[in-house]
Amino acid sequence: MIGEFSPGLILILGALLVPLLRGRLRAIYMLALPVAAFAHLTTLPHGDLGIIELSGVSLTTLRVDKLSLLFSYVFLVAALICVIYSLHLRDTVQHVAALIYAGSAMGAIFAGDLVTLFIYWEAIAIASVFLIWASRTEDSYRSGMRYLIIQVGSGVLLLAGVLIHYRQTGSLAFGALGLDTPGGLLIFLAFGIKSAFPVLHAWLPDAYPRGTPTGTVFLSAFTTKVAIYALARSFAGTDILIPIGTVMAAFPIFYAVIENDLRRVLAYSLNNQLGFMVVGIGLGTDLALNGAVAHAFADILFKGLLFMSMGAVLFRVGTIKGSELGGLYKSMPWTTGFCIVGAASISAFPLFSGFVTKSMIMTAAMEEGYFWIWIVLLFASAGVFHHAGIKIPYFAFFAHDSGKRCQEAPLNMLVAMAVAAALCIGIGSFPDFFYTLLPFETGYRPYTLDHVVAQVQLLFLSALAFTLLMRTGIYPPELRSVNIDAEWFYRRAGRSLADGARMAAENGWKSVTHGIGRTISVVIAYVQRHHGPEGLLARPWPAGTMALWTTLMLGACLILFYL
């Protein structure tokens, strides 16, 4: 049917007309694209749609169910908020790249087969890198190149896994897979790179903080959440995800605490929150999967809100280093308030979104008997409050007065932050409607007395610990520094490999040119020996000798003719 196409195509194709528009007309048009995509979404029935027959292979370009719909709702809301946040820009490249990026993410979650997923998977990588390069600095260019190599590498692994899987099973369906085949293992690894698994995660804190103030907000919403969706769709209940997610939730805390770049702090915090989602997917129960996808939904909003507040600070002040900020609540009171809402949401304060989503994952872990996993997640929750709930607003807007005075964020930025803050509070305060959007019916109730009291106690003790560490001088101060992460190893190894390849190429070229030179010299000497002035063929031959050779050649011709 004509209407059976992905809502993401509205954003992708619509982005191509953006360069033709200017001023207010461009702003209205960009705002209309997510609205039009949502209107189209409401007309789609559940099921496999948009089926294309290609060379005997059936591709399902549009699969509509509760899981894909949940992510599509939040992706469209995020796209609308991000467009509002970026309306002050006059950078056509950023606008076009951002809309194609968001549309590709939408296309990926509606993909019903692995080939369609791969196409959008690569489109996400290519479109998103322009949001990093748009900073137009040497650091952003280099970081963008590293980001692109890793993201395209993920796509190569995905394609290899798809081909192997198809050869072994004859199926391209984007559904439940396993790790018992090489194809499934490669696909799992491809998803793991985009999900920022441990050791594979360093692209995230390397690239996201180098994006533009608006581009980083887009980046925080889509790439990793598409990967979480893919894991939930294909590897729910895979046990190895539980320890992987637990490590993801715990180790970024230590980096975030010592990091001076506040957007880099948020990048590590994003990695931390992804860990909770991966644990939920690994547990695989209805409650755990509900918690994983619900937390992905909430994280897009509150993490986007935090990135927006820091982007506004960077836009107005020109720096995002904690050591250079402080006292900005006097100049940017609205931004300060919105940042606090985001901090409360990610810290899982009651009445905020994180409280009603993260708790499902932790409850599922306890119900399944993973006590020590639950302990680590509890520690990670306290750490989140330290580095995102307290550190971000404290060092950006309070702490010591840096003496910097600036204007409040532009109106469009404030409106975008207000919408995200309202959704964070609305989901946390009235979760019942939100729960109806989740894939499974669980009857979970977050506002029980024991849960509220336990969470308030955890937050109070975490705040007390932060205060004591600050008062005693033990808490790491905000200093100019470079923190080494896992990327150092593969960047160092990559540089060594590149240097080795360059030297090998140079030596090989020298050997080739030397060999060619020697061959040419031998040929010249041979020709010189036979055809030179003193050569054998240059000497005058007697007439009798010439007659003899002529007779022999004629004789040979006659023999060949008769044969």
Side-chain angles (χ1 to χ4, degrees), residues 426-450:
I427 292 173
S429 301
F430 306 100
D432 290 341
F433 172 74
F434 174 60
Y435 285 168
T436 62
L437 302 176
L438 300 179
F440 306 104
E441 295 287 342
T442 61
Y444 179 74
R445 292 292 177 266
Y447 286 104
T448 60
L449 181 60
D450 57 341

Side-chain angles (χ1 to χ4, degrees), residues 239-262:
D239 291 339
I240 191 63
L241 288 173
I242 299 175
I244 289 175
T246 304
V247 175
M248 289 173 65
F251 85 85
I253 294 172
F254 302 99
Y255 281 99
V257 167
I258 63 175
E259 182 57 55
N260 187 33
D261 186 318
L262 297 185

Side-chain angles (χ1 to χ4, degrees), residues 204-355:
L204 198 161
D206 175 38
Y208 281 17
R210 291 184 171 89
T212 63
T214 55
T216 301
V217 180
F218 274 97
L219 290 170
S220 69
F222 298 109
T223 297
T224 53
K225 303 311 181 300
V226 170
I228 291 297
Y229 168 84
L231 285 175
R233 175 70 72 183
S234 299
F235 294 99
T238 302
D239 291 339
I240 191 63
L241 288 173
I242 299 175
I244 289 175
T246 304
V247 175
M248 289 173 65
F251 85 85
I253 294 172
F254 302 99
Y255 281 99
V257 167
I258 63 175
E259 182 57 55
N260 187 33
D261 186 318
L262 297 185
R263 290 204 300 174
R264 194 170 168 90
V265 172
L266 289 176
Y268 279 116
S269 177
L270 174 56
N271 203 171
N272 157 267
Q273 296 301 298
L274 293 170
F276 284 90
M277 303 169 207
V278 171
V279 169
I281 295 170
L283 291 171
T285 64
D286 289 356
L287 179 61
L289 289 173
N290 270 356
V293 298
H295 199 54
F297 190 110
D299 183 76
I300 288 174
L301 297 174
F302 60 61
K303 193 58 60 59
L305 178 54
L306 289 168
F307 271 113
M308 283 190 282
S309 63
M310 292 301 100
V313 170
L314 178 60
F315 180 75
R316 285 304 194 197
V317 181
T319 182
I320 202 62
K321 305 295 185 182
S323 57
E324 301 172 8
L325 297 174
L328 290 181
Y329 74 93
K330 300 174 183 178
S331 302
M332 308 179 75
W334 285 102
T335 303
T336 303
F338 293 137
C339 180
I340 291 173
V341 172
S345 299
I346 194 173
S347 303
F349 270 83
L351 303 180
F352 293 88
S353 56
F355 180 81

Side-chain angles (χ1 to χ4, degrees), residues 45-81:
H46 283 224
D48 292 342
L49 310 172
I51 297 177
I52 299 175
E53 296 294 334
L54 185 64
S55 300
V57 178
S58 180
L59 304 181
T60 305
T61 61
L62 183 62
R63 176 174 50 198
V64 182
D65 57 18
K66 295 196 73 172
L67 182 59
S68 59
L69 283 175
L70 177 71
F71 278 85
S72 69
Y73 294 149
V74 71
F75 278 5
L76 287 175
V77 169
L80 181 62
I81 291 173

